[in-house]
Amino acid sequence: MEAAISTLVNGFKTCAGKDGSCSTLSKDEFQNLVTSQLPNFVKNASNPGEIDRLMGSLDKDNDGELTFSEFWELIGKLACKQGGFSS
């Protein structure tokens, strides 16, 4: 599990900061991350409307960017769905 967490953190850090803050994901950075790293878990990731909807559901402070904690919520939901657990 430690390796999986390290992979998630490194993936976030690799995508974050290209459009501004190195500790948050912009909409474009988020779309790049889900398109490249979660193509089988996030359907329609190339659709801007779907990215807007998904990002809006995660962006708790409505600042237009995702912190790692906000992003982690998506990972938790995807893991629950994949494992057959209710979220």
Side-chain angles (χ1 to χ4, degrees), residues 42-60:
V42 178
K43 302 298 180 202
N44 302 317
S46 60
N47 178 333
E50 181 62 20
I51 291 298
D52 285 341
R53 185 199 65 74
L54 183 55
M55 193 160 172
S57 73
L58 298 170
D59 185 12
K60 300 302 180 202

Side-chain angles (χ1 to χ4, degrees), residues 25-73:
L25 295 171
S26 68
K27 178 184 169 186
D28 288 340
E29 292 167 340
F30 177 61
Q31 186 168 17
N32 280 342
L33 189 148
V34 296
T35 301
S36 65
Q37 300 298 316
L38 299 167
N40 297 310
F41 288 105
V42 178
K43 302 298 180 202
N44 302 317
S46 60
N47 178 333
E50 181 62 20
I51 291 298
D52 285 341
R53 185 199 65 74
L54 183 55
M55 193 160 172
S57 73
L58 298 170
D59 185 12
K60 300 302 180 202
D61 59 3
N62 295 313
D63 66 352
E65 299 207 341
L66 296 180
T67 63
F68 185 77
S69 294
E70 291 168 331
F71 171 71
W72 189 255
E73 184 179 329

Side-chain angles (χ1 to χ4, degrees), residues 11-32:
F12 181 92
K13 287 181 174 182
T14 297
C15 290
K18 294 181 177 162
D19 290 344
S21 173
C22 63
S23 61
T24 60
L25 295 171
S26 68
K27 178 184 169 186
D28 288 340
E29 292 167 340
F30 177 61
Q31 186 168 17
N32 280 342

